[in-house]
Amino acid sequence: MIADDDLAEDRQAYLVHIDHEADITFPAQQVCDLTDGLYLVVSALSRSRLYHRIKRQLPPGTAFLVAPLAGAPKFKGMSRGALAFTRSIWPPNP
């Protein structure tokens, strides 16, 4: 799910991994569920703010990661639509 409070123009793409089945509301403009527990999240929040907003929604002790991405990741075998989502953020070079 996506929260409505992330409407700023400046945005950053993050790779988020959550080692728990949880219903997370991502404070983000766009979210792609790549595979179980692995997400590509586009948010105007800083890494720290995104991390803490996710952390507050998880049970104590849940392992998770929030890492900023400088460019499009390479991947194989992810969910349907993941490549199109990625290309919408980082259009291929002509």
Side-chain angles (χ1 to χ4, degrees):
M1 275 188 145
I2 300 172
D4 292 332
D5 62 347
D6 183 37
L7 301 175
E9 287 298 315
D10 293 334
R11 58 192 183 127
Q12 168 68 48
Y14 299 94
L15 188 63
V16 176
H17 178 263
I18 302 172
D19 189 25
H20 186 271
E21 297 246 354
D23 186 23
I24 299 295
T25 299
F26 288 96
Q29 294 167 321
Q30 299 171 290
V31 176
C32 181
D33 184 347
L34 297 172
T35 190
D36 292 340
L38 188 62
Y39 305 89
L40 182 55
V41 177
V42 179
S43 177
L45 297 177
S46 68
R47 177 179 52 189
S48 180
R49 291 180 85 101
L50 180 62
Y51 169 91
H52 287 288
R53 292 222 190 150
I54 293 170
K55 180 181 175 184
R56 287 192 290 265
Q57 297 179 62
L58 296 172
T62 300
F64 74 105
L65 168 137
V66 176
L69 296 174
K74 298 288 282 181
F75 55 81
K76 180 180 177 185
M78 296 295 153
S79 67
R80 184 180 183 104
L83 182 59
F85 181 87
T86 302
R87 287 184 175 160
S88 75
I89 298 168
W90 296 282
N93 293 331

